[in-house]
Amino acid sequence: MKTHFDIEKIVENGIITNELDYDRALIADRKLRLLAKESLHFKKLRAKLRDIIERYEISEWSDIDKTDDFKLSESSKSEHIAELERIFIENRKQAIRKKLKELDLTQENLALILGHKSKTHMSELMNGIKPFTLKDLIIINRLLKIDIAVLIPVFLSKEDQVKVKEAVIKLDKPKVRLSSDDLVLC
């Protein structure tokens, strides 16, 4: 599973290729609606994203005859995954903000510590528009003493879970198995 969704990559590519990215784009659009009030950059990004979303909807959802139970089921699963990712990002953002407040730091202070020069870029990271780097998250973990599981998603998609289980079966090592505790996203 892609744990880091970069909306700017979707905009750069100019196309949404699957239902999960479509649902992620819809969530990003809602976030950008709020951010667009503060920044022309976000306003332009949102306009481009909305065009891409509209093209996907026309190509995938405008023909009622192509909409079957399987497609609806896949859409529902993708929507669920995207929503769990949104909740994860929101919880991470709130945990970071809480610790910053406790330490009398600002997001701009954190940006300086992480080596990010732009206030806009830091806002994109905090809001899940762009992904944090692993290095950023390790620094935040060490500096703010936030549990790494709050900072880095530790769940697996059904697809990744199946791949790992198949590989373990091929190894024929009964003691090695994938734990299902909080690792499965959908």
Side-chain angles (χ1 to χ4, degrees), residues 23-61:
D23 288 316
R24 288 169 169 161
L26 290 174
I27 289 170
D29 177 58
R30 290 194 308 263
K31 288 180 185 179
L32 288 170
R33 180 177 54 88
L34 300 172
L35 295 171
K37 295 175 184 176
E38 303 169 12
S39 163
L40 183 60
H41 167 74
F42 292 131
K43 188 174 185 173
K44 290 178 181 178
L45 184 62
R46 183 174 186 233
K48 291 176 184 175
L49 178 63
R50 290 179 68 81
D51 288 342
I52 295 167
I53 289 170
E54 185 177 348
R55 284 196 306 273
Y56 182 83
E57 288 172 341
I58 289 168
S59 102
E60 295 296 318
W61 290 101

Side-chain angles (χ1 to χ4, degrees), residues 73-131:
S73 173
E74 289 302 305
S75 174
S76 181
K77 288 176 188 175
S78 295
E79 192 175 317
H80 179 69
I81 291 169
E83 179 60 13
L84 290 174
E85 290 173 347
R86 184 199 66 76
I87 291 167
F88 174 84
I89 290 168
E90 183 62 27
N91 289 341
R92 177 175 64 190
K93 178 172 79 170
Q94 293 308 320
I96 293 170
R97 282 185 171 169
K98 180 181 176 191
K99 286 292 190 169
L100 289 174
K101 188 175 182 178
E102 287 174 12
L103 297 171
D104 195 29
L105 293 170
T106 65
Q107 264 185 220
E108 287 181 72
N109 298 145
L110 182 59
L112 179 67
I113 291 166
L114 297 175
H116 302 304
K117 295 176 174 68
S118 162
K119 183 178 177 181
T120 301
H121 182 68
M122 193 64 207
S123 181
E124 289 173 325
L125 294 172
M126 291 290 288
N127 286 290
I129 304 299
K130 282 188 174 180

Side-chain angles (χ1 to χ4, degrees), residues 154-166:
V154 293
F155 41 75
L156 294 174
S157 69
K158 199 70 150 169
E159 180 182 289
D160 288 338
Q161 185 183 21
V162 168
K163 286 179 185 177
V164 170
K165 284 182 178 181
E166 287 173 355

Side-chain angles (χ1 to χ4, degrees), residues 162-174 176-177:
V162 168
K163 286 179 185 177
V164 170
K165 284 182 178 181
E166 287 173 355
V168 169
I169 289 168
K170 284 181 186 175
L171 292 173
D172 193 28
K173 302 287 184 185
V176 178
R177 64 184 181 90

